[in-house]
Amino acid sequence: MPTTLRDMIAEAQAAVPRLPPDQVADRMRQGAVLLDVRDPNEVAASGRIAGAVCVSRGMLEFRADPGSPTHNTALQRTTPVLVYCGSGGRAALAGRTLRELGYAEVFNAGGFKELADFGLPIERD
């Protein structure tokens, strides 16, 4: 039987703990990297949470793997990563991918609107 998107997201959510916005803010203050995996057009339309590293989910493996020529040095396997997207589904999938790539501490930070509504500042490029 084929796997569905719903199944994939459920498995990823079970593997990557979701943090409420207050804990996301606390972990950011402690040095965790906030990673926005939304597509560039989404980020351009709404901005991003201040300080977030933007890597679309489609490019994640290329930016997260230290052996890749296009590795983003903001992403280090020993630094906790807090992943967010539009609502939390892509963040869970991206979090599972980061774990598979050897990242030790990865958390689902949920969706952009939830974080912005909590009061985390937004920046626009």
Side-chain angles (χ1 to χ4, degrees), residues 105-124:
E105 284 189 78
V106 181
F107 299 94
N108 183 342
F112 172 80
K113 184 176 181 332
E114 177 184 12
L115 297 171
D117 287 349
F118 174 74
L120 293 180
I122 298 170
E123 52 187 24
R124 297 179 186 272

Side-chain angles (χ1 to χ4, degrees), residues 1-87:
M1 179 176 220
T3 298
T4 66
L5 174 61
R6 180 176 291 176
D7 294 336
M8 292 173 70
I9 290 173
E11 289 172 13
Q13 288 173 333
V16 180
R18 185 155 178 170
L19 298 178
D22 63 321
Q23 290 183 24
V24 170
D26 287 344
R27 291 202 178 242
M28 288 174 61
R29 283 190 288 274
Q30 296 168 12
V33 171
L34 186 63
L35 178 63
D36 184 335
V37 295
R38 295 176 300 152
D39 289 338
N41 62 325
E42 293 174 276
V43 176
S46 63
R48 63 182 169 176
I49 301 300
V53 174
C54 295
V55 175
S56 66
R57 185 167 170 266
M59 293 302 295
L60 183 61
E61 292 85 349
F62 299 96
R63 303 292 188 258
D65 184 344
S68 170
T70 58
H71 174 240
N72 184 322
T73 57
L75 299 173
Q76 298 296 321
R77 290 179 173 146
T78 56
T79 303
V81 181
L82 313 167
V83 187
Y84 75 90
C85 63
S87 63

Side-chain angles (χ1 to χ4, degrees), residues 12 16 57 60-61 64 91-103 106:
V16 180
R57 185 167 170 266
L60 183 61
E61 292 85 349
L93 293 168
R96 183 180 62 187
T97 297
L98 289 171
R99 289 201 175 217
E100 290 170 357
L101 287 170
Y103 284 73
V106 181

